[in-house]
Amino acid sequence: MRWRQAAHGAALAVLAILLAGGPAARAAAAAQHREELTYSFDIDPGEWRYFEFPVKEKDARLEVRFEARGRRPSPGVRVAVMAEGEFRRFRDNQPHQEIGATRYRAEGMLQARLAEPGQYVVVIDNGEKSQRRRHVEMESVLVTGPAPETLPVQYLSPEKRAVVTGASAAGFLLILALAGRALWRATRRRPLQPYY
């Protein structure tokens, strides 16, 4: 029983050393903020719906998943994201720019990077050529803070690498020694039976 406790303690020590290697990465990951919203609504032919959301930090990431259902097949809906000023132009039937948009689909996903803080709008359009009412299920996820791919890569110092390597080798040798001891005891307790 003591050898199991010793092996368990060695494993925990190695794990603690590994976790201690990246405090900056852990702090950056903790700075991320994730906000999820779900929507469920009906949209008539030729109509559009929208929802607004504020972004308080630079380089936010937005992901919108949607599914548009109806009694009969149709091209589906189009989802677009734009800044608040561009949305006002869209609403007034003026030329406008979109940060990202999908084609008309029955289901899909839109991903957009929002570079600057401000007000943004997601528009769901049932299309002028649509002749079907759609029921839309939608989920949006807004993530602010550092993106995972931009987090700093953390390496163990040479001293910590030596400790981890030494502790791993010592743990492996300890397990081999204990296993060999157990096998040796088992063979001594059971004498070989003669074969007739």
Side-chain angles (χ1 to χ4, degrees), residues 101-171:
T102 67
R103 297 181 179 179
Y104 286 96
R105 295 181 177 173
E107 61 181 295
M109 180 181 68
L110 169 67
Q111 291 180 318
R113 185 174 291 274
L114 311 175
E116 297 297 329
Q119 286 289 125
Y120 292 88
V121 182
V122 172
V123 178
I124 305 93
D125 183 10
N126 198 15
E128 295 180 1
K129 297 181 180 179
S130 176
Q131 298 179 355
R132 301 282 180 261
R133 188 180 199 194
R134 301 283 101 189
H135 178 75
V136 179
E137 299 283 343
M138 178 174 292
E139 178 185 32
S140 69
V141 179
L142 179 66
V143 180
T144 55
E149 61 270 16
T150 64
L151 294 178
V153 177
Q154 296 288 322
Y155 296 99
L156 293 177
S157 66
E159 295 81 13
K160 287 185 179 179
R161 280 202 300 267
V163 171
V164 171
T165 304
S168 300

Side-chain angles (χ1 to χ4, degrees), residues 1-69:
M1 186 63 85
R2 290 181 181 176
W3 66 269
R4 290 182 182 174
Q5 292 175 349
H8 183 66
L12 288 178
V14 172
L15 182 61
I17 292 169
L18 288 172
L19 291 177
R26 290 197 308 279
Q32 283 192 349
H33 178 71
R34 182 182 178 94
E35 185 177 348
E36 299 184 30
L37 296 172
T38 57
Y39 303 86
S40 179
F41 55 90
D42 293 324
I43 182 168
D44 291 324
E47 298 292 327
W48 49 267
R49 300 279 297 270
Y50 72 97
F51 63 90
E52 300 175 281
F53 59 95
V55 174
K56 299 179 181 178
E57 297 182 33
K58 290 185 175 183
D59 295 322
R61 281 89 60 205
L62 175 70
E63 180 177 292
V64 179
R65 296 179 182 270
F66 64 93
E67 182 179 354
R69 298 191 300 270

